[in-house]
Amino acid sequence: MSKIFEILKKEEKRQREVINLIPSENFVSEDVLKALGSVFTNKYAEGKSHHRYYAGNQYVDELEDEVTELVYRAFDIHKDEYSVNVQPYSGSIANIAAYFGVLNLNDEVLSMSLEHGGHLTHGHSVSITGKVFEFEHYGVGEDGFINYDHIQEIAKRFQPKLIIAGTSAYPRNLDFKRFKDIASSVNALLMADIAHIAGLVVGGVHPSPFPYADIVTTTTHKTLRGPRSALIVSRKNLSESIDKAVFPGIQGGPHMNAVAGVGVALEEALKPEFKEYINQVVKNAKALADELKKLGFKLSSDGTDNHLLLIDLTPMGLTGQQASDKLEKEGIIVNKNMIPFDTRKPWDPSGIRLGTPAVTTQGMKEEDMIKIARKIKDILAKP
Ligand code: DSN
């Protein structure tokens, strides 16, 4: 057997045997894998549908049109109001393209800080985004919840061109209407980065960013349960420059096999079973949070509304790295994460982030979450 396939088999076995609580990971269906491994990987298709640089794209066009249509249906939006770009390779590229589509270099942007649950591409100093635009950040209050009055104050002083409503480690619902009111009050555009919660939005268990956001970016491989790829949805007047920023601005030929996989995932997300699945994801996260609290763990914002939660390990005298290592030895995979107001650094922060999308795909329910919480407690309490 080829060495690569040997490695692949080992990874398959690892994924089967561990309890995966990384909130940004999931298990795709066999059909998504088939589409990803399909002959669409053989084709170059620079340009958008029906405007390609290469010949032979009639089925690629049909595919891109169909996936675009599925995005409209999944998010319940209309093509007269919004345009869709299904080509970004991944979430970071989608965000960078959105910025270059609507901003000039050094323009002001207001977003959540990484330390409080934002994302590197929301203007962290180590990301290209933080080097070419001028970011200022908002965060959460002492209670772990976003303080919208504070965002309003910063916006008034800072006068951003763009406000980002988006998180990668925030366990509570976002109030997109409130974000829009703040953005409108300073004539800023609103961008929602729903990478983590896209599946919750499609399944109706998190408020939708539509019709409030002017731009919505998302990855497709987290709660949406598709392949590693991304989408940009934007108001029609913004789409031409955003499309140009994706290609030729940043990318070359789109990965049409990934786009095919996204289409299959969206077909699946439009089925009633997906609603059940995503409801269970949220119920499982609550059950996990409740049991962890009963066992004495300190959770950021004292709980969760969505698919993830953050444990502050400071009271246990452990760091995120130590906890993640101890859990991995016993087959539980989590990721170390900063907690709001963390005094430690990202490489060895004070918390861990846990989520339920992957274990829910495997069929786990609330009673399993209770067992997992107790196992986590036992493992972390051991010297
Ligand atoms: N790496 C993703 C996450 O885990 O949230 C964000 O890009």
Side-chain angles (χ1 to χ4, degrees), residues 24 119 168 196 222 353:
S24 48
H119 190 251
S168 62
H196 262 264
K222 299 184 173 94
R353 189 181 64 153

Side-chain angles (χ1 to χ4, degrees), residues 282-334:
V282 173
K283 280 195 220 161
N284 281 351
K286 278 197 204 322
L288 186 61
D290 287 347
E291 188 63 20
L292 286 167
K293 270 166 44 179
K294 271 192 214 153
L295 294 168
F297 283 98
K298 185 176 174 203
L299 304 190
S300 183
S301 85
D302 203 34
T304 179
D305 296 328
N306 58 24
H307 62 299
L308 68 81
L309 50 98
L310 276 174
I311 303 180
D312 177 359
L313 296 158
T314 321
M316 293 195 83
L318 281 174
T319 69
Q321 181 71 59
Q322 288 166 338
S324 161
D325 289 348
K326 280 179 133 192
L327 291 168
E328 183 169 12
K329 279 199 193 110
E330 307 268 349
I332 297 182
I333 308 297
V334 302

Side-chain angles (χ1 to χ4, degrees), residues 21 26 199-200 203-206 223 225 272-289 304-309 355-370 372:
L21 296 175
N26 214 326
L200 281 71
V205 295
H206 188 290
T223 52
R225 222 165 43 174
E273 299 90 287
F274 187 80
K275 262 197 171 42
E276 271 172 44
Y277 159 70
I278 210 75
N279 259 295
Q280 191 62 49
V281 166
V282 173
K283 280 195 220 161
N284 281 351
K286 278 197 204 322
L288 186 61
T304 179
D305 296 328
N306 58 24
H307 62 299
L308 68 81
L309 50 98
T356 53
V359 289
T360 309
T361 295
Q362 290 174 311
M364 292 198 202
K365 297 269 169 30
E366 287 93 326
E367 54 275 19
D368 302 300
M369 298 305 113
I370 292 169
I372 289 175

